[in-house]
C-alpha cells in the first residue's frame, strides 16, 4: 500500500521536502511507517521518541493500523517560551 507522509515545521528543513510517499505492506502500523521514514531521513532519528504523529486530522499512537492512501503527518516536539 502507498501512504503519503507530510513533514511539518523544521522537519521540512531536515528532510528538504514537504512530503514523500512510502510503500508498506498491508496491515502496517504507524510505528512501521515511522521506522521507514527514519531509514530514509536519518536526520529525524534524534527526535524519534518525541515526534507527534497524525493520520488524517487525528493524532494516533504507534499501534494504529494504516490503510492504503492514508496521509500521515509528522510534527517535531513542541517548543515554546
Amino acid at each position: 500500500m502507498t501512504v503519503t507522509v507530510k513533514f511539518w515545521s523544521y522537519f521540512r528543513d531536515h528532510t528538504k521536502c514537504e512530503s514523500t510517499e512510502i510503500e508498506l505492506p498491508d496491515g502496517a502500523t504507524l510505528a512501521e511507517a515511522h521506522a521507514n521514514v527514519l531509514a530514509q531521513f536519518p536526520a529525524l532519528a534524534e527526535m524519534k521518541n518525541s515526534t507527534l504523529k497524525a493520520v488524517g486530522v487525528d493524532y494516533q499512537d504507534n499501534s494504529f493500523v494504516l490503510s492504503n492512501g492514508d496521509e500521515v503527518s509528522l510534527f517535531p516536539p513542541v517548543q515554546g517560551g
Side-chain angles (χ1 to χ4, degrees), residues 2-3 8-9 11 17 21-22 29 37-38 41 45 47 49 60 62-63 66 70 72 74 78:
T2 303
V3 174
W8 297 93
S9 187
F11 277 10
C17 63
E21 288 191 350
I22 59 174
T29 63
V37 169
L38 294 177
F41 301 99
M47 284 89 46
N49 294 330
Q60 301 294 344
N62 284 325
S63 63
L66 297 166
D70 275 347
V72 173
L74 299 180
V78 176

Side-chain angles (χ1 to χ4, degrees), residues 2-78:
T2 303
V3 174
T4 301
V5 179
K6 297 185 81 173
F7 303 107
W8 297 93
S9 187
Y10 60 83
F11 277 10
R12 287 183 179 175
D13 297 333
H14 289 312
T15 61
K16 298 182 177 33
C17 63
E18 291 185 16
S19 66
T20 190
E21 288 191 350
I22 59 174
E23 293 292 324
L24 298 166
D26 288 342
T29 63
L30 190 52
E32 292 170 295
H34 192 204
N36 182 297
V37 169
L38 294 177
Q40 285 185 342
F41 301 99
L44 300 180
E46 183 178 314
M47 284 89 46
K48 175 185 177 188
N49 294 330
S50 56
T51 298
L52 301 173
K53 303 171 205 76
V55 179
V57 296
D58 296 316
Y59 288 105
Q60 301 294 344
D61 65 23
N62 284 325
S63 63
F64 183 84
V65 177
L66 297 166
S67 298
N68 186 52
D70 275 347
E71 182 178 277
V72 173
S73 293
L74 299 180
F75 300 91
V78 176

